Amino acid sequence: QFVPGGIYNEGVLGHFTNANPIYATSDADATVSRLIFAGLLTYNSSGGLMGDLASDYSVDPAHSNIYKVHLKQNLKWQDGRPLTSADVLFTYQLIQNPDVKSPLQSAWQGIEVSAPDSHTVIFKLPGTLASFPYSLTTGIVPKHLLSGIKPVDMRSADFNTVKPVGAGPFAWQAIEVGGNGDPKHSQEKIALDPFADYALGQPKLQKFIVQVYADKDEL
């Protein structure tokens, strides 16, 4: 029998540089990003896809290259603001913008994204791609916090490293940096709190701590 509460510590090798899901590719960055940010879809315990922010998705019966996604009702960001299809559209437009320099950009070339209403997103692919739904696990970012940042400045925004706000299971609390300035022995301790309004329910943990080590022996 499990009892709610407790602090979970996870150690990761590498360096933490960016929590923003449109940039997070290293193990350390991806670990933090997946805890803070939620995608339209996520993986279930058997590795299949299930809704995260999305309630469902479907393929147009007449056009196998068109996907329609419906968002769950009353979604919220960790700052309390509502999350809508405008945020989803904004996220994928950022990825597609070459000035943003997202490593995901090439995979999204030629895909048209539209939001006909606040709870619906439509993806039109240049051709049929059965694996496309797996691309919808990328974390969604908040338009209200990032729309004022120039695309060329997006990678260096404070949002990515000290002020991330997502809609995932855990919210950013603080970061501690150690190692006395030596990059070969750097340590970062990132503390996260459970998010009560997470779409799949508030996590049962009291806190989640990610400890990032540059040195394997220290890890």
Side-chain angles (χ1 to χ4, degrees):
Q1 183 177 356
F2 293 100
V3 178
I7 298 174
Y8 186 89
N9 280 272
E10 179 173 341
V12 184
L13 187 65
H15 296 277
F16 170 70
T17 63
N18 205 313
N20 191 323
I22 72 173
Y23 295 117
T25 55
S26 70
D27 287 346
D29 290 354
T31 296
V32 176
S33 181
R34 289 170 185 162
L35 292 167
I36 296 175
F37 295 90
L40 294 174
L41 303 179
T42 189
Y43 296 97
N44 59 28
S45 58
S46 59
L49 292 174
M50 60 179 284
D52 197 349
L53 298 175
S55 59
D56 61 79
Y57 72 93
S58 60
V59 183
D60 189 313
H63 303 90
S64 59
N65 64 324
I66 298 178
Y67 289 77
K68 181 181 288 187
V69 178
H70 293 111
L71 298 181
K72 294 175 180 176
Q73 299 291 320
N74 302 316
L75 294 173
K76 291 183 180 179
W77 291 107
Q78 291 161 354
D79 63 1
R81 295 282 292 272
L83 188 160
T84 71
S85 62
D87 296 294
V88 180
L89 180 61
F90 175 75
T91 298
Y92 289 109
Q93 287 176 336
L94 278 183
I95 291 172
Q96 291 177 322
N97 188 329
D99 290 338
V100 172
K101 293 182 169 28
S102 168
L104 305 176
Q105 193 238 346
S106 60
W108 282 86
Q109 288 182 346
I111 299 176
E112 298 177 20
V113 188
S114 59
D117 60 56
S118 63
H119 288 87
T120 307
V121 185
I122 296 175
F123 300 90
K124 184 177 181 181
L125 283 58
T128 301
L129 182 63
S131 63
F132 174 72
Y134 289 90
S135 301
L136 301 180
T137 58
T138 299
I140 303 304
V141 297
K143 180 179 179 179
H144 69 280
L145 294 178
L146 295 178
S147 60
I149 299 173
K150 294 179 180 179
V152 294
D153 297 330
M154 191 64 65
R155 182 179 278 276
S156 59
D158 286 348
F159 174 90
N160 304 334
T161 52
V162 294
K163 297 179 180 179
V165 174
F170 290 89
W172 181 274
Q173 183 197 39
I175 182 171
E176 295 179 10
V177 179
N180 298 319
D182 182 355
K184 293 182 180 181
H185 298 281
S186 67
Q187 300 174 18
E188 292 125 351
K189 181 178 180 180
I190 299 159
L192 306 169
D193 291 328
F195 177 40
D197 291 319
Y198 175 45
L200 295 179
Q202 179 176 337
K204 303 300 184 183
L205 293 171
Q206 175 187 348
K207 192 178 294 292
F208 197 117
I209 296 176
V210 180
Q211 304 203 45
V212 185
Y213 294 86
D215 183 83
K216 184 178 181 179
D217 292 334
E218 291 177 3
L219 169 63

